[in-house]
Structure formats: C-alpha cells, structure tokens
Amino acid sequence: MEKLGLTNENWDQFVKWLWDFIPGLVSAIIILIVGIWVINIISRMLRKFFKKKDYDETLEKFLYDFLNLGLKVLLVVLVVTQLGVQSSSLVAILGAAGLAVGLALQGSLANFAGGVLILFFKPFKIGDFIEAQGIQGTVKEISIFTTKLNTFGNQLAILPNGKLSNDNIINYSEEGKRRDNITIGVSYDSDIKKAKQVLLDLVNEQDKIVQDPLPVVVVTELGDSAITLSLRYWTLTEEFWDIHFYTLEEAKKRLESDGISIPFPQRDIHLYQHENIK
C-alpha cells in the first residue's frame, strides 16, 4: 500500500467509498437496462397506436421522434441521479450545459423550431411535390431537424428545417390541379387562327385535360422571327408531366402537317455597296 502512496487510512476510505458506490452503480445499470427495454416497448406501442389512428403522417413522425428523445433524456437523468449526483447539482449542470450547447448549436435549435413551425402551419406534407431552396422533389420524410426530398432524378435531398421554414416554398400538389403554359413560335406568314385552332383541337381531344377553366391559345409576343403563341390548359397534378410531354410533341407534328411552320431564329441582313471615295 505504501508503495502505491496509500496509507491504511486512505485505503480504508477508498474501500468504504467503493462499497457505498457499488450499490448505486448496480442500480444505475439495472435502471439503464430496464429503461431501454421500457422505451423500446413504448416505441412499439406508439407505432401501433399511430398505425391504427388516421393521423397526419408528418405529425406521427414528429411526435414519435420527440417522445422517443424525451424518454431517453429522462432515462439519462435517472441513471445519473442514481449514481449519487444530487438533483439540484444535476439541474445546475444541465442548465450550464444546456446554455453552452444552445450557443454552440444555434443552427440545430433553429432547425428544431423550424420543424415545429412546419408541423403547425403545414405548408406541405409527405407525398407533396414542392420546390424550395432551388430544389424540386417529393417530400419523403419530415423529421425534427430536417426534411427529406426525393428529386426528379431519384436523389435524396436533405433540407434543414430552419432555412426551409423561412424560405419561399412552392407546393405543386396542394391545389390538386396545375395550369400548363406551352409557348410555340409560328412564322409570320402562317394563318394564326388556323394555328390556334389546331392547338385547341389537340388539347380538347384529351379526356384528362380539365375543361373548367377552358383551354385557351393566345398571342403573347410578336418576336423578331416568329409570332409566339401560348397554349394554356389545366390538368390534375399527378397527370401534369405525361400530358405536357405528349402535347408538346403532338403540337409540333400537327402544326407542320397543316402547313404551319415553326421557324428558326433568323435575322435579315442588308448589304450596301459604297463607291470608294478618293
């Protein structure tokens, strides 16, 4: 003992402290194991409860993550308290740690607040096709801190909720239908009325195009090399792109088959010959 720098009195104090500490340590380990087991059971019960109830999927995910995190924090507090840390001291430590973590993780706290705002105001929900922060995609998941989108190319985009809740958001799915606006240029020597009728016949023969409001074709610009026609019609959101691509391709075919040309950009250049002046 003396070689280790411990006197008999110090050794006796250490052994006494160890005997006093072991029961608390064993209790803390038991509480930790039982607590994890109980949290897993509660998590499974929450999943079954949400599955039976027809709640909003976004709300279910947010509440599940929030309750699961809260239960784990409570378990850590119980375990630390069982190890002999006084409740008042623990509160003071947690307060100081919370302040330090809050200053260090201001972005995460902003994302958490953003998640709450998204959950409360519901600018979009899972399954909606949205555009935000320069990214378009279908909402796959809304969690406490981030929102995940599946892009058109099937990439996963992860957007922080803090910026997302304070940025412009375009929700293409919310209204249920969208208006398309296809612009087509026809030559100046074309029959405009005939061109407009060809385009109207094209959209009116498609059953999936909404007839209220009615499709229209208007002249929007007299350009340098063409007259610009705008074909405007409404369709259901889920059928928008299929109809758009079909209509765009068919418009070119039908206009050309009726003798209406779609000109290339062109300019008239006039050359003047001047006599040399001596």
Side-chain angles (χ1 to χ4, degrees):
M1 296 299 173
E2 293 180 357
K3 292 181 180 180
L4 296 175
L6 295 175
T7 63
N8 290 334
E9 182 179 355
N10 291 336
W11 175 253
D12 292 338
Q13 290 177 353
F14 172 75
V15 172
K16 183 177 182 303
W17 173 85
L18 185 61
W19 280 107
D20 292 338
F21 179 73
I22 286 177
L25 177 62
V26 174
S27 300
I29 294 174
I30 294 174
I31 291 175
L32 179 62
I33 295 173
V34 174
I36 294 175
W37 178 70
V38 171
I39 289 175
N40 289 334
I41 292 177
I42 294 175
S43 297
R44 287 196 295 268
M45 291 175 62
L46 284 173
R47 289 186 182 276
K48 291 181 180 178
F49 175 78
F50 287 139
K51 188 176 293 185
K52 292 180 180 179
K53 301 294 182 179
D54 190 19
Y55 292 137
D56 181 73
E57 189 174 354
T58 303
L59 178 63
E60 292 179 6
K61 172 66 177 173
F62 191 90
L63 289 177
Y64 176 81
D65 290 343
F66 184 77
L67 291 174
N68 193 43
L69 179 62
L71 289 173
K72 289 179 179 178
V73 171
L74 179 60
L75 177 61
V76 171
V77 171
L78 291 176
V79 170
V80 173
T81 303
Q82 193 62 34
L83 291 175
V85 179
Q86 297 297 324
S87 300
S88 57
S89 301
L90 182 60
V91 170
I93 293 172
L94 290 177
L99 178 61
V101 172
L103 293 174
L105 301 177
Q106 293 183 34
S108 297
L109 294 177
N111 291 334
F112 176 80
V116 174
L117 291 175
I118 291 172
L119 177 65
F120 183 77
F121 291 106
K122 295 183 178 179
F124 54 82
K125 60 183 181 296
I126 292 176
D128 284 353
F129 186 83
I130 68 171
E131 178 179 353
Q133 300 183 41
I135 299 174
Q136 291 185 345
T138 302
V139 180
K140 179 181 180 182
E141 179 183 310
I142 304 173
S143 61
I144 294 178
F145 299 106
T146 61
T147 295
K148 296 180 180 179
L149 304 182
N150 267 347
T151 67
F152 185 77
N154 199 34
Q155 293 100 1
L156 180 64
I158 302 176
L159 308 181
N161 285 338
K163 293 183 179 179
L164 188 58
S165 63
N166 290 291
D167 198 3
N168 297 326
I169 300 172
I170 301 176
N171 190 331
Y172 293 98
S173 303
E174 180 66 23
E175 299 300 325
K177 63 181 182 179
R178 291 178 60 181
R179 191 185 77 169
D180 200 355
N181 181 22
I182 298 178
T183 57
I184 300 172
V186 298
S187 62
Y188 271 91
D189 58 359
S190 298
D191 187 337
I192 296 179
K193 289 185 178 180
K194 184 178 180 181
K196 293 172 67 174
Q197 191 59 49
V198 169
L199 295 176
L200 283 176
D201 290 341
L202 170 60
V203 295
N204 286 331
E205 72 182 30
Q206 299 183 57
D207 296 334
K208 293 183 179 180
I209 290 181
V210 178
Q211 293 297 316
D212 184 18
L214 289 172
V216 295
V217 181
V218 294
V219 176
T220 58
E221 184 183 4
L222 300 177
D224 294 335
S225 57
I227 300 172
T228 302
L229 301 179
S230 175
L231 173 59
R232 304 175 181 182
Y233 60 86
W234 293 80
T235 182
L236 297 180
T237 301
E238 60 269 19
E239 297 168 346
F240 177 85
W241 287 112
D242 290 338
I243 294 176
H244 172 84
F245 295 135
Y246 172 80
T247 303
L248 190 62
E249 181 177 347
E250 281 295 310
K252 180 180 184 301
K253 292 180 180 178
R254 298 194 185 190
L255 287 172
E256 290 181 344
S257 66
D258 281 289
I260 300 170
S261 62
I262 302 176
F264 295 101
Q266 55 186 297
R267 290 182 180 275
D268 292 333
I269 299 176
H270 302 275
L271 301 177
Y272 297 94
Q273 185 176 1
H274 296 276
E275 294 181 358
N276 294 331
I277 300 176
K278 296 183 178 179

